[in-house]
Amino acid sequence: MGHYYTDVPHLFVYKHDDLLNYVKKAGYSDASLDEVTRNSTGTILYLHDYYRADKRSIILSVSAGGEIKKILPPSGGGYLNDQGEFVAWVDDVKKGLRFKNGYFRDIVPSGYFGVDPSGKFYFIGYTSGVKVINNETVQTGPLKYFTEISSIDEPTKVLYSTNIRVENIFFRDNRIYLFARNVRNFKGLGDYEEHEIICQILKKADSMFVLEEQINIPRPKPSPSPFAVVDLDPWSDNVLLVDVKDMPFSFLTAWYLFDLKSKKMTKVGRAKDYGFFLQEDILKRYQ
């Protein structure tokens, strides 16, 4: 468990098996691990178990105090706020996103969405220029992205819109941080280079949000494989990035730190299963 092998404040890494063994020893012998997220204050890890034999998703909340709670989302994948309340969840029946106030938003086949770790804001968008035919995504024209940012409390009010395909959203210091992977030399689906990550930082302006700064984070070497955000540090300007290498060179997949203020990129080392910026080691009781 514990701290990473380089001196990066608040960065903790975990192996898949260590997390799974931890909850199994606590009595959750039938648990599996499909996704891991954190709360916005870095005090809780959420272990998501989606594909259970009983077809009932569960979330195990693991805190640094050693407490483990089993949480049942209202439907499929669920998103929590810092008070441990479900604020949005995937409605498996209607194929969309349902909010705590009862509002529902459709998710089209080319759609995407996400909720920030605090459970206060979310993004939802879609891609034009593609169609899903016989469960396969087929390109029908130039790809364009349309993404909207709204609050969980007022899910119908658009606070900001952008033409990037947002993949990560964070809320920190009264600012919203959006991250999207960018490609070039696009010849078709799966035939392109991922060469940078776009970061848009939004600040509050009256009842809306506006773009304060856009930062283009360059990849060390462009490649068709993913170059993506792992986590944003709640206490500094560091972003943890993963630079994925395809087989047979997957052992070279590496983590990088990018400082949003200084624009400095630093190689951290070989990537691990999970990495999060936390207040302390969540599994310290296990050691």
Side-chain angles (χ1 to χ4, degrees):
M1 275 40 76
H3 211 272
Y4 196 46
Y5 52 76
T6 59
D7 188 21
V8 180
H10 293 289
L11 177 59
F12 293 88
V13 301
Y14 302 98
K15 294 180 180 178
H16 179 277
D17 289 348
D18 286 340
L19 287 171
L20 199 52
N21 290 336
Y22 183 64
V23 296
K24 285 188 174 183
K25 286 184 177 181
Y28 300 95
S29 58
D30 64 340
S32 62
L33 186 55
D34 301 307
E35 184 183 13
V36 183
T37 58
R38 65 164 174 85
N39 67 347
S40 73
T41 57
T43 57
I44 295 175
L45 287 179
Y46 295 114
L47 280 55
H48 301 258
D49 185 356
Y50 297 127
Y51 308 108
R52 298 172 57 81
D54 58 9
K55 298 183 179 180
R56 185 70 168 96
S57 298
I58 68 168
I59 299 173
L60 297 177
S61 168
V62 184
S63 66
E67 184 180 17
I68 300 178
K69 292 181 180 178
K70 180 180 178 180
I71 309 171
L72 297 177
S75 183
Y79 299 88
L80 300 112
N81 59 17
D82 285 336
Q83 289 72 48
E85 305 164 330
F86 282 100
V87 296
W89 53 91
V90 177
D91 189 319
D92 292 331
V93 177
K94 289 192 174 183
K95 304 299 181 186
L97 194 61
R98 191 169 295 280
F99 297 84
K100 63 179 182 178
N101 63 2
Y103 185 73
F104 175 84
R105 291 199 69 168
D106 288 302
I107 301 171
V108 299
S110 64
Y112 49 90
F113 65 93
V115 179
D116 88 277
S118 75
K120 292 181 178 178
F121 298 94
Y122 78 100
F123 67 85
I124 190 166
Y126 68 93
T127 307
S128 69
V130 294
K131 275 188 179 179
V132 178
I133 302 174
N134 296 327
N135 293 322
E136 284 194 20
T137 303
V138 178
Q139 186 177 356
T140 58
L143 297 184
K144 293 183 179 179
Y145 306 111
F146 304 88
T147 309
E148 296 177 347
I149 312 300
S150 300
S151 74
I152 291 291
D153 290 337
E154 295 184 272
T156 62
K157 180 181 178 181
V158 178
L159 301 175
Y160 178 78
S161 59
T162 180
N163 61 356
I164 61 174
R165 191 190 190 285
V166 175
E167 291 191 341
N168 309 86
I169 180 172
F170 300 90
F171 179 62
R172 193 194 73 175
D173 301 330
N174 292 316
R175 283 170 170 76
I176 294 175
Y177 293 75
L178 307 175
F179 293 93
R181 287 145 61 180
N182 199 15
V183 302
R184 67 183 184 189
N185 298 328
F186 189 92
K187 300 179 179 66
L189 292 175
D191 188 4
Y192 50 76
E193 288 182 334
E194 293 202 19
H195 70 108
E196 65 180 2
I197 292 170
I198 298 173
C199 170
Q200 292 186 347
I201 303 174
L202 314 180
K203 67 176 181 179
K204 195 84 180 289
D206 297 324
S207 62
M208 308 288 283
F209 277 83
V210 297
L211 181 64
E212 180 179 47
E213 183 180 10
Q214 176 168 311
I215 301 169
N216 293 57
I217 305 173
R219 187 174 194 171
K221 184 179 179 181
S223 169
S225 58
F227 177 51
V229 168
V230 179
D231 201 8
L232 172 67
D233 190 346
W235 303 282
S236 79
D237 294 295
N238 282 329
V239 185
L240 182 63
L241 309 169
V242 62
D243 184 5
V244 178
K245 302 299 181 186
D246 287 331
M247 292 291 288
F249 302 105
S250 56
F251 66 93
L252 295 176
T253 294
W255 276 348
Y256 287 83
L257 281 180
F258 184 83
D259 189 307
L260 293 173
K261 265 195 178 159
S262 69
K263 312 300 189 289
K264 180 182 178 183
M265 180 91 76
T266 306
K267 188 173 183 178
V268 178
R270 188 180 297 181
K272 300 297 183 182
D273 292 340
Y274 302 103
F276 296 97
F277 292 106
L278 305 169
Q279 286 191 17
E280 56 185 316
D281 183 6
I282 296 295
L283 301 194
K284 63 183 180 182
R285 292 289 183 92
Y286 183 68
Q287 299 184 68

